[in-house]
Each structure stands twice: as C-alpha cells, then as structure tokens.
Amino acid sequence: MEIIDKHPDCDNEELAMAIIAGWEKGLRKSDIYQMEVFGDDGPRGYIGMSQAGRCRRQVVLNRRTDFEPSPNTPSQLDTFRVGHLLEADTRACLVRGGVQIVSDQLAVHSFAAGAGEAVHGHIDGLVHWDLFIGTEANGFDGSREVIYSEYPHSWLSTALWEHKKLGDYPWKLCIGKKGFKKDSPMENVVRVEDGGYVLRQGTLQRVQHEYYQQMQCYMMALRDRGVPVTRGIFTGRNPDGKAIAIEVIPFDAPEAEIAMARLGQCVNDYTNGLIPVQDHTPGKDWNCDYCAYRGACDEFGPGDGPIKLELEARE
C-alpha cells in the first residue's frame, strides 16, 4: 500500500505502515550499516525535555554543578554509543527508503510553568509524510489508492520523529512478548512486516511512559514555535539492531502540560536552591538502582518537602 496524506487526520496505522515500507526499502538498498561515530555529549547547562518523566530530584541534581554523578560503567558507555550509532543508521536507512526526515537535532525550548530559564530539547527529526511515497498522482488504479498531497512540503504533513535503541527488556515490553520461545505471542503488535512491527495504539504510553512524555514535550515546544504537529513517530530498534518497532503517537495536550509543568518545577527548584523530594523508593524501584546520583540522594533521605541547599559554585 502506498499512501500520501492529504490531511493531518491520516490513519495512524496507515502512516506507520508507510514508514515501515520505507524502512524495508532502505534495508534492501544496502546490506552495510552506514553508521556515524558520535562522541559523548558532555554535561549540559540546562534542564532538558529528554528528562521528562524522570525523578525530579535526579533532574535537579544533574543540573547543579556541586554534585558529581557516578561514573558510567564501560557497559553503559557502550550502550550510549551504540544508541547514537543506531539512530544514525536508522535515519540513513529510512532516507534511503524514501522517508523524508529533516531538521536533524532541531533545538526547541519552552518556558514551562513560568520557569526562570528555558527547558531545552533537541528532537531527532521531523518527517514529511506527504513527500516520501513517490510521485504518482493518478488516483485509484484498481489495485491501490494513491492520495496525493495538495500541500507538498507543508507543515500540515509534518510529524515529530523520535528514535530509541531498546535493550532486551524494554524491547519485550514494547512488543508485549511473553516468555522466551520464538513463537511466544507479541500482544502489543498489530502488524508484522519483514523489517519490523507496528505497535498497537497506546503501547508506548502504557509500557514506556517516560518516552511518551518526552515526545509530548517536544511536540508542545514545536507547536509553540509555529510547527503545528499533531503526532510523532516513535521508532525503537531491538537489541541486535535488525528490526524496528513503530508507533504513531498523537499529540496529547494534557499530558504535555503535566510533563512540562514538572520540568518547570525542576527549573524553579534549581533556581531557588531546593532539592526536591524523591519520586521513587530506593530498594523498591529499579529507577534508583540505575541512578547516577543515588549516593547523594541517599544522604538527603526521602524528605517531607524540598530541602534548601544553596549551590556551592555556580556556572
């Protein structure tokens, strides 16, 4: 099926199928990964939208300059680097397949909840879905329908693109695979193609809520700057990098407002020298096990309210 959207209310599963068709086409064009090596990003002097959904204490401690995070293990560094590589490879593959991805790492910002400084973000890209399905405009030919856009290159046909490299457990959560057998059911998958899977609507919100909130923040910031996106396209690569899972995520204004308000509160806490309470419980929540600020957090304890602690050194 080849689909070009004429209006922004294109069916989400059809859009996902068109993206995965481009992915499969790109895979056939080259058997060699075209990967670009990225260095470490280094510390950022701002609170970012990619931190949406995380523990607020972790976000504030990460923004301050007087707390050192635990060093990344070699395994963690390898995971970060492979994630960068797979994002570049996914982009190259989709583009080879005809998917138009533009605005690589576009910077966006928002003054959330009246915060004193902006909450920043860098989106992986924007997809123009009225551009990536050929040039045929002859309508119905008896076997397929081609809907040709009257507004090529229009913002009305633009979606956010967000890419994640998924570990074994997050991948199984996304596809809803139960058990370890090859023929175990995938409860979150509605379509299976040669190159990957189309996820059931609502999957990301339910099983990877942090990613869902990040995408909502990015879409809100894009809309604030005049790009009227109504949805985002999530692509996740499986652990061995040989398949992708795709879900089209509609813009959820209430969820975006909640996530941005939390980030705005983190900005205000940082500005006022406050350490927020814990959002998770050490020893019970896995988030604490992987937190780079676990040591400092344990010293503060859970807290009944924000803890006043002026910065020892400011940037």
Side-chain angles (χ1 to χ4, degrees):
M1 180 185 295
E2 293 192 352
I3 296 178
I4 299 177
D5 186 27
K6 186 175 180 179
H7 300 291
D9 58 354
C10 171
D11 178 81
N12 286 336
E13 186 174 332
E14 291 180 328
L15 176 56
M17 287 299 301
I19 295 286
I20 209 167
W23 162 259
E24 292 174 345
K25 183 178 178 182
L27 281 177
R28 290 194 296 270
K29 283 191 172 183
S30 175
D31 293 327
I32 302 174
Y33 284 163
Q34 297 182 1
M35 293 184 171
E36 179 180 353
V37 177
F38 289 80
D40 292 333
D41 293 331
R44 298 178 179 180
Y46 57 83
I47 286 175
M49 295 176 197
S50 62
Q51 296 169 301
R54 296 183 185 176
C55 173
R56 287 168 293 180
R57 178 176 287 184
Q58 180 196 51
V59 172
V60 172
L61 291 177
N62 180 257
R63 177 66 182 92
R64 293 174 66 116
T65 57
D66 50 350
F67 289 95
E68 289 292 331
S70 301
N72 291 314
T73 65
S75 175
Q76 288 172 322
L77 289 173
D78 184 63
T79 297
F80 297 148
R81 293 192 177 106
V82 170
H84 283 309
L85 294 174
L86 286 180
E87 178 187 327
D89 181 61
T90 300
R91 180 190 302 274
C93 192
L94 288 170
V95 170
R96 287 197 303 270
V99 179
Q100 300 296 311
I101 300 178
V102 298
S103 301
D104 179 18
Q105 294 300 313
L106 175 68
V108 293
H109 69 270
S110 176
F111 286 91
E117 64 178 52
V119 176
H120 294 267
H122 293 82
I123 67 172
D124 292 334
L126 298 174
V127 171
H128 290 298
W129 68 80
D130 63 346
L131 305 180
F132 63 74
I133 313 293
T135 59
E136 300 175 46
N138 296 322
F140 190 65
D141 67 1
S143 62
R144 62 179 177 165
E145 186 178 1
V146 179
I147 308 170
Y148 187 75
S149 175
E150 295 178 354
Y151 308 102
H153 304 271
S154 167
W155 287 125
L156 291 176
S157 303
T158 300
L160 167 75
W161 177 53
E162 176 68 11
H163 183 269
K164 298 290 185 184
K165 183 263 183 187
L166 300 175
D168 184 64
Y169 181 65
W171 173 259
K172 288 182 178 179
L173 280 179
C174 274
I175 65 175
K177 190 173 180 63
K178 303 297 183 182
F180 296 94
K181 296 181 180 179
K182 288 185 178 181
D183 59 351
S184 296
M186 295 177 290
E187 297 180 354
N188 297 334
V189 174
V190 293
R191 297 287 292 269
V192 179
E193 299 297 322
D194 291 341
Y197 311 96
V198 175
L199 299 177
R200 192 180 307 279
Q201 285 284 286
T203 293
L204 195 70
Q205 182 180 16
R206 179 168 47 84
V207 304
Q208 293 286 355
H209 194 245
E210 183 176 312
Y211 295 164
Y212 181 81
Q213 285 199 328
Q214 291 171 17
M215 292 184 68
Q216 297 305 331
C217 288
Y218 292 141
M219 284 189 274
M220 173 177 276
L222 284 168
R223 292 166 68 91
D224 287 347
R225 64 180 290 174
V227 183
V229 294
T230 59
R231 59 190 135 185
I233 297 166
F234 170 82
T235 57
R237 289 283 285 270
N238 71 339
D240 62 12
K242 294 180 180 178
I244 59 173
I246 294 178
E247 184 182 350
V248 178
I249 310 295
F251 176 59
D252 183 343
E255 188 78 20
E257 290 171 359
I258 290 171
M260 289 296 264
R262 280 173 58 89
L263 290 175
Q265 185 58 55
C266 291
V267 171
N268 289 331
D269 285 347
Y270 163 75
T271 303
N272 295 317
L274 298 175
I275 306 297
V277 298
Q278 292 174 341
D279 285 332
H280 303 291
T281 304
K284 292 184 178 180
D285 295 326
W286 66 266
N287 312 73
C288 299
D289 296 335
Y290 295 94
C291 179
Y293 294 90
R294 175 69 183 273
C297 183
D298 285 345
E299 291 182 11
F300 290 123
D304 297 325
I307 301 167
K308 184 71 173 180
L309 186 67
E310 295 291 349
L311 278 166
E312 294 180 4
R314 293 188 180 270
E315 296 173 314

